[in-house]
Amino acid sequence: MKNMYDFGLIGLGVMGRNFILNVADNGFSAYGNDLDPEKVAALKKEGGDEDRVNATTDVATFVQALSQPRKIMMLVPAGKIVDSVIEGLLPHIDEGDIIIDGGNSFFTDTDRRAEYLAEKGIHFFGAGVSGGAKGARKGPSIMPGGSKEGYAAVQPIFEAVSAKYEGEPCVAYLGPKSAGNYVKMVHNGIEYGLMQLTSEIYDLLKKGGDYSNLELHELYTKWNEGRLQSFLVEITSKIFSKKDDLKMGELGLLDQISDKAKQKGTGKWTSQNAMDLGIPVPSIDIAVSMREISALKEERTHADTLYDRPEVEKMDKLILAELAEKALYFSFIVTYAQGLHQLADASKEYGYELDIAVIAKIWRAGCIIRAGLLADITEAFQADDHLPNLLVSPLFTEKVQSTVGAARKLVAYAATNGIPLPGLSNSLTYFDAYTSTRLPLNLIQAQRDYFGSHTYERLDREGVFHTEWEE
């Protein structure tokens, strides 16, 4: 077989098949590999021209079909399977070849694999791919980091297949080591937060304003035409209007869907690592916790019978909608601020050399958290590349100041009426704490010194102090 294919991809599930077809659509010949003969056959059938797209179940045949240096991307589940695929490739590839992990691998695993493969002369890098199955086919946001030389060889392909924002490709080399996988992890953490907030506002509108699914569809559609323009608000508006095929096409498929939300772990990883770094991301933390609470369906149902809940005092629909739009915008800003703060700190801790403005730029199209807001975020970090937090950017103070009041009103209203708004509440509490000159943590310092002699610092003089609190 001639060494004729420009790009190889292992893992021909929906994401992999769509990505490889995207590569072929953009003028690069591509060869796929999967252990499942049906997936191989499906790709070959959809690809049509075997000179453009081909596939096999045999690893040796797959590797031999690729031009050198071989550019091989994996789109397989995170974990041991990634190591297994790498080991299966090693007997067949040569020094200078390139392996790319396009899955959601934990960043320390990527560092380990890069070091292992570098010893064998193989370029390796992680590249987060966001946009779901449709994004993989039509143009995702891609977040590569690791071997700069390896990325340079793949750069023309990635720039061709990625989403475009005003003509700019939504992909950029982000930094050394596991920078790409880390950025994708935090992207997913932000995604958890935005999804939680979007669902809370939906719940509030239904319970507090008796909004029908059709009215919710119209409202979210209107919001998506304004400053809340985003992929998640857009698809949410469409979800509200989806009819239930199992109920004679009645409007309201959403009402028949279980309220137990699943997760794959990237949101949890974001929260865990933020705690390791000492960076507060409470809007993301609570989004992870709420998925865990949602899984306790039987316990929740029983607990609901044990306690009285206030009768919801209805609010005027137009007033509620206005407050909800402002509160959602405020909490979106706060959630992005937390995630980007984590990225900036991780960059220092792990030596990633991240440019936050570049990250915001490649998130403007293609990815799940794409939003009009990211154009403003890009501008904020371009104006100050040492910006510690989005909330202190002059470009955002007015946006926040004009919407935080609505968040306060809705959190108070929801608390009085027994409607859970944990994402919005955490966003508001984070904002109030972050913008407070004085917090009550002086008492915690005193308590720690009292029971553990942990010492404390004073406001009026330098040094470390300890007090014998009991006479």
Side-chain angles (χ1 to χ4, degrees), residues 69 71 98 100 123 125 144 146-159 172-173:
K71 295 168 278 292
I98 302 150
I100 307 152
H123 298 292
F125 65 90
S147 169
K148 200 165 190 177
E149 188 178 341
Y151 174 67
V154 183
Q155 184 175 351
I157 298 175
F158 275 14
E159 289 185 350
Y173 176 79

Coordinates of all heavy atoms in Angstrom, one line a residue, residues 69 71 98 100 123 125 144 146-159 172-173:
P69 N 6.2 12.2 8.7 CA 6.0 11.6 10.0 C 4.5 11.3 10.2 O 3.6 12.1 9.8 CB 6.5 12.6 11.0 CG 6.3 13.9 10.3 CD 6.6 13.6 8.8
K71 N 0.9 11.0 11.6 CA 0.1 11.9 12.5 C -1.1 11.0 12.9 O -2.0 10.9 12.1 CB -0.3 13.1 11.8 CG 1.0 14.0 11.4 CD 0.6 15.1 10.5 CE 0.7 14.7 9.0 NZ 2.0 14.3 8.5
I98 N 4.0 11.1 15.4 CA 3.2 11.9 16.3 C 2.0 11.2 16.7 O 1.2 10.7 15.9 CB 2.8 13.2 15.6 CG1 4.1 14.0 15.1 CG2 2.0 14.1 16.5 CD1 3.8 14.8 13.9
I100 N -1.5 11.8 19.1 CA -2.3 12.9 19.7 C -3.5 12.3 20.5 O -4.2 11.4 19.9 CB -2.9 13.8 18.6 CG1 -1.8 14.3 17.7 CG2 -3.7 15.0 19.2 CD1 -2.3 14.6 16.3
H123 N 6.7 12.1 19.3 CA 6.1 13.3 19.7 C 4.7 13.0 20.2 O 3.9 12.2 19.6 CB 6.0 14.3 18.6 CG 7.3 14.7 18.0 ND1 8.2 15.5 18.8 CD2 7.9 14.5 16.9 CE1 9.3 15.7 18.0 NE2 9.1 15.1 16.9
F125 N 1.1 14.8 22.2 CA 0.4 15.9 22.9 C -1.0 15.6 23.0 O -1.6 14.8 22.3 CB 0.7 17.2 22.1 CG 0.1 17.3 20.8 CD1 -1.2 17.8 20.6 CD2 0.9 17.0 19.6 CE1 -1.7 18.0 19.3 CE2 0.4 17.2 18.4 CZ -0.9 17.6 18.2
P144 N -4.9 22.2 21.8 CA -3.6 21.3 21.9 C -2.6 21.9 22.8 O -2.4 23.1 22.9 CB -3.2 21.4 20.4 CG -3.6 22.7 19.9 CD -4.9 23.0 20.6
G146 N 1.5 20.5 24.4 CA 2.5 19.4 24.5 C 3.6 19.6 23.6 O 4.2 20.7 23.6
S147 N 4.0 18.6 22.8 CA 5.1 18.7 21.9 C 4.8 19.8 20.8 O 3.9 19.7 20.0 CB 5.3 17.4 21.2 OG 6.2 17.5 20.1
K148 N 5.6 20.9 20.9 CA 5.4 22.0 19.9 C 5.8 21.6 18.5 O 5.1 21.9 17.6 CB 6.3 23.2 20.4 CG 5.8 24.5 19.8 CD 6.4 25.7 20.5 CE 5.8 27.0 20.1 NZ 6.4 28.1 20.8
E149 N 6.8 20.7 18.4 CA 7.2 20.2 17.1 C 6.1 19.3 16.5 O 5.8 19.4 15.3 CB 8.5 19.5 17.2 CG 9.1 19.1 15.9 CD 10.5 18.4 16.1 OE1 11.1 18.5 17.1 OE2 10.9 17.7 15.1
G150 N 5.6 18.5 17.4 CA 4.5 17.6 17.0 C 3.3 18.4 16.5 O 2.7 18.1 15.5
Y151 N 2.9 19.4 17.2 CA 1.8 20.2 16.8 C 2.0 20.9 15.5 O 1.1 21.0 14.7 CB 1.4 21.2 17.9 CG 0.3 22.1 17.4 CD1 -1.0 21.6 17.2 CD2 0.5 23.5 17.1 CE1 -2.0 22.4 16.7 CE2 -0.5 24.3 16.6 CZ -1.8 23.7 16.4 OH -2.8 24.5 15.9
A152 N 3.2 21.4 15.3 CA 3.5 22.1 14.1 C 3.2 21.3 12.8 O 2.8 21.8 11.8 CB 5.0 22.6 14.1
A153 N 3.5 20.0 12.9 CA 3.2 19.1 11.8 C 1.7 18.9 11.5 O 1.3 18.6 10.4 CB 3.9 17.7 12.1
V154 N 0.9 19.0 12.6 CA -0.5 18.8 12.5 C -1.3 20.1 12.3 O -2.4 20.1 11.9 CB -1.0 18.0 13.7 CG1 -2.5 17.7 13.6 CG2 -0.2 16.8 13.9
Q155 N -0.6 21.2 12.6 CA -1.3 22.5 12.6 C -2.1 22.8 11.4 O -3.3 23.3 11.5 CB -0.2 23.6 12.8 CG -0.8 25.0 12.9 CD 0.3 26.1 13.3 OE1 1.4 25.7 13.5 NE2 -0.1 27.3 13.2
P156 N -1.6 22.6 10.2 CA -2.5 22.9 9.0 C -3.8 22.1 9.0 O -4.8 22.6 8.6 CB -1.6 22.5 7.8 CG -0.2 22.5 8.3 CD -0.3 22.1 9.7
I157 N -3.7 20.9 9.4 CA -4.9 20.0 9.5 C -5.9 20.6 10.5 O -7.1 20.8 10.3 CB -4.6 18.6 9.7 CG1 -3.7 18.0 8.6 CG2 -5.9 17.7 9.9 CD1 -3.2 16.6 8.9
F158 N -5.4 20.8 11.7 CA -6.3 21.3 12.8 C -6.9 22.7 12.5 O -8.0 22.9 12.8 CB -5.5 21.4 14.1 CG -5.4 20.1 14.9 CD1 -5.8 18.9 14.3 CD2 -5.0 20.0 16.2 CE1 -5.7 17.7 14.9 CE2 -4.9 18.8 16.9 CZ -5.3 17.6 16.3
E159 N -6.1 23.5 11.9 CA -6.6 24.9 11.5 C -7.7 24.8 10.5 O -8.7 25.5 10.5 CB -5.5 25.8 11.1 CG -4.6 26.2 12.2 CD -3.5 27.2 11.8 OE1 -3.4 27.5 10.6 OE2 -2.9 27.8 12.7
A172 N -5.3 26.8 18.8 CA -4.0 27.4 18.9 C -3.2 26.6 19.9 O -3.7 25.9 20.8 CB -4.2 28.8 19.5
Y173 N -1.9 26.5 19.6 CA -1.0 25.8 20.5 C -1.0 26.6 21.9 O -0.8 27.8 21.9 CB 0.4 25.8 20.0 CG 1.4 25.2 20.9 CD1 1.5 23.8 21.1 CD2 2.3 26.0 21.7 CE1 2.4 23.2 21.9 CE2 3.2 25.4 22.6 CZ 3.3 24.0 22.7 OH 4.1 23.4 23.6

